[in-house]
Amino acid sequence: MPIRSPLPVLATLTALVLGACGQPADTGGAAATEDPARLQLVASFYPLEYVLGRVAGDRAEVTTLTAAGVDPHDVELTPRTVGTLAGADLVVHATGLQPAVDDAVAAQAPDTSFDVVPAADLLVLGESEEEHGAHADEHEDEHGHGHGAEDPHFWLDPQRYADVADAVADRLAEVDPEGAETYLGNAADLRADLEALDTELAEGLAGCRTRDVVTTHEAFGYLGARYDLDVVGITGISPESEPSPARLAEVADLVADLGIGTIYAEPLLPGGIAETVARETGARVLELDPVEGITEASAGEDYLEVMRANLAALRTGQGCP
Ligand SMILES: [Zn+2]
């Protein structure tokens, strides 16, 4: 008899207790009812949920480990949510973005998970596409990783996001060969949508008065790399790292020196950081959404709509013709 981890048992008990109280059983979106005829897919957070929904369509039920409105970087998983991973046909995640998910996937779904990071071709934070190309070989030395911290926010570059969707479709075709044609066709449709968005962004962000963009957390490096914007995040790559007073003063000086008129806040983060810098410098605050989750407060109902709202905000904030 195979040795089983005690976790599924615990998860079942937790589910029964919570279910009996009539409470929402989980912070994650794990499905309560499973349709055995459909593939059970799990996405670690919204951008991968969107890809799975578009690519798998009606052939799958997609659940998400990061509830809407929760900052995906510091997501914590309940035992019940962790337990659902073992029963999924495929868990799609991006290593390095969510440590709790990486641990749970390694323990519960080592053979039924798909890491999109290789397909996303991550840049090291602060690296340009040109620098990336120049030392692409170097990336493979020693540990097979770059030397700096890799920026996980690949979905903010529509071209990288389309590459990820194609890779997810290929993997789904392996898991469910009968659906292969559907998956590849849907991924091609998604790619067409993303390429149209890419064209809109490139045209909409051409000729702007300023190319310096100050955001709250360091999420928009790929947008900057793709559309030639110099993006500075007030906090680090993970938004829970509170900026020090020294960092706030440093960014305020930069804003004043460069004559930046707009600071961008984020819907999932508590207000205050962008506002603090704006108050000190006389800049206005607009919203730029890293599309890490969709809520009532989002400026659109899906990735494409929110990205178009981001483009509109950038065109206003950066003074684009
Ligand atoms: Zn982020």
Side-chain angles (χ1 to χ4, degrees), residues 73 153 217 219 237 239 292:
H73 293 275
H153 301 89
H217 95 283
I237 201 145
E292 293 180 347

Side-chain angles (χ1 to χ4, degrees), residues 71-73 97 152-153 155 217-219 237-239 266 290 292:
D71 173 7
H73 293 275
L97 179 71
H153 301 89
W155 59 94
H217 95 283
E218 197 82 67
I237 201 145
S238 202
E266 290 178 31
E292 293 180 347

Side-chain angles (χ1 to χ4, degrees), residues 95-182:
T95 50
L97 179 71
Q98 302 175 280
V101 171
D102 294 345
D103 291 348
V105 166
Q108 298 291 316
D111 303 322
T112 50
S113 56
F114 183 63
D115 175 14
V116 302
V117 158
D121 188 26
L122 299 183
L123 295 174
V124 171
L125 192 61
E127 180 187 50
S128 71
E129 288 285 353
E130 292 72 34
E131 288 161 349
H132 185 58
H135 67 90
D137 298 338
E138 219 178 290
H139 271 233
E140 301 307 322
D141 71 358
E142 292 170 34
H143 324 288
H145 284 105
H147 304 292
E150 285 176 329
D151 182 350
H153 301 89
F154 62 86
W155 59 94
L156 294 168
D157 172 354
Q159 295 189 22
R160 280 187 162 75
Y161 198 32
D163 290 343
V164 163
D166 286 339
V168 167
D170 287 344
R171 180 61 189 260
L172 284 175
E174 285 172 22
V175 173
D176 172 29
E178 275 181 34
E181 208 174 307
T182 303

